[in-house]
Amino acid sequence: MTEVLDAAAAWDRLRRIRTADEAGAAGLRADGDGGLRWGPPATPEAVELADRYLPLCLAGPRVAFAQLGQSLDGFIATRTGDADYVTGPEDRCHLHRLRALSDAVLIGAGTAASDDPQLTVRACAGDNPVRVVLDPRGRVPQGSGVFTDGAAPTLWVVGPEVTTTTPGAGVEVLALPDAAAFAPARLLAVLARRGLGRVLIEGGGVTVSRFLRERALHRLYVTVAPVLLGDGIPGLRFPGTPVMREALRPPLRRALLGEDTLFELELRADGVPSEEAAEEGVAETGAAPAGP
């Protein structure tokens, strides 16, 4: 009897794919329409996983992608900051899969200070990415879990005036020379030089919006939950166009995640520089290296 590839086995193969040759070795074959499908018999869930994540797997060694979960009216949390949980468990599994497909997961100081997220892979099989915390003014408490739990390598990116104590095990402090060095394209170049080319920008809304506004994203995943908050912390916000026909309308795909709807937008990332354009003159101090 022929063994059927199930979702767990399919995901185990997918999360290791980075090239077309690796896709072929994993059992994916050309489908005749320019795509790839499983060569061996596969369950519908296994087929769905390949359809959803293979484009990201094959996006290359330099790819910046972001994820947000929000209400129907565009909020990622209530006005008190409560975000547990806007979207359902299927979306949280999706988020953890995105982490597993990245070299680094990046958050801003506001998200780190208010949510103290773990940023690890727990809802699916996979390796933890390097945790990158952007903290230009040193606002994130040094007792935060990302600095103390030792669950994954952590890169604490601070401004030149920030004074930190000796970080915990597995934490490295990266002091950037000025505010301009925190520009998304320059940050991505610095991370790529450190071997962190596949970067998930996870939050919050201000950080994701900044990367989008400055054309530093290749892909954007937005999951919309069937809930209305009326007021709260907004998700995407950037200077818009006064003319509707000039609004950003990127190619997209839709998928259902339980009761939620996932929108995957393919963006033109003109702002992502080549690796050779990595920022120079970065002062570095800290403990263990933050490689993948």
Side-chain angles (χ1 to χ4, degrees):
M1 184 176 179
T2 303
E3 184 176 354
V4 177
L5 187 70
D6 63 13
W11 173 247
D12 190 58
R13 297 185 188 191
L14 283 167
R15 68 186 181 88
R16 305 174 194 278
I17 293 173
R18 294 294 181 270
T19 67
D21 287 344
E22 290 172 345
L28 289 153
R29 304 289 181 263
D31 61 8
D33 294 320
L36 297 173
R37 60 173 175 80
W38 293 115
T43 65
E45 293 78 13
V47 172
E48 182 180 25
L49 284 172
D51 179 67
R52 183 174 301 156
Y53 296 107
L54 192 57
L56 181 57
C57 294
L58 296 175
R62 291 288 306 276
V63 57
F65 51 107
Q67 189 274 348
L68 282 177
Q70 65 178 45
S71 65
L72 275 172
D73 45 355
F75 299 108
I76 59 175
T78 69
R79 62 177 176 271
T80 64
D82 181 17
D84 294 336
Y85 291 99
V86 177
T87 57
E90 294 86 355
D91 182 53
R92 291 194 288 280
C93 184
H94 164 67
L95 172 59
H96 284 224
R97 287 193 170 115
L98 293 182
R99 291 175 182 170
L101 295 177
S102 67
D103 298 325
V105 55
L106 181 151
I107 60 171
T111 296
S114 61
D115 296 349
D116 196 12
Q118 297 181 58
L119 305 177
T120 54
V121 178
R122 305 182 304 281
C124 66
D127 298 325
N128 293 327
V130 174
R131 304 179 294 194
V132 180
V133 180
L134 301 184
D135 193 12
R137 298 188 295 276
R139 293 191 293 137
V140 182
Q142 296 191 25
S144 298
V146 289
F147 301 142
T148 60
D149 64 13
T154 301
L155 187 63
W156 189 4
V157 186
V158 301
E161 305 302 322
V162 175
T163 301
T164 64
T165 60
T166 303
V171 180
E172 182 178 1
V173 178
L174 175 62
L176 297 183
D178 50 41
F182 282 85
R186 295 176 69 178
L187 279 168
L188 292 173
V190 169
L191 293 177
R193 176 167 285 184
R194 300 167 69 87
L196 306 174
R198 298 173 59 89
V199 182
L200 166 62
I201 294 86
E202 187 169 320
V206 171
T207 300
V208 172
S209 295
R210 186 181 182 203
F211 274 74
L212 176 64
R213 180 179 69 245
E214 299 192 22
R215 300 173 65 91
L217 292 177
H218 292 87
R219 271 182 168 78
L220 172 63
Y221 297 86
V222 179
T223 303
V224 179
V227 61
L228 296 169
L229 297 182
D231 186 16
I233 298 174
L236 295 173
R237 290 292 185 273
F238 58 92
T241 172
V243 181
M244 182 63 71
R245 65 175 176 271
E246 295 177 359
L248 185 62
R249 296 180 185 269
L252 63 82
R253 302 193 302 164
R254 300 178 184 87
L256 293 178
L257 296 178
E259 295 184 347
D260 305 328
T261 302
L262 169 66
F263 295 86
E264 178 187 353
L265 289 74
E266 184 177 346
L267 303 170
R268 289 168 176 78
D270 298 338
V272 179
S274 65
E275 190 167 341
E276 289 76 16
E279 176 65 18
E280 297 179 355
V282 175
E284 301 183 28
T285 61

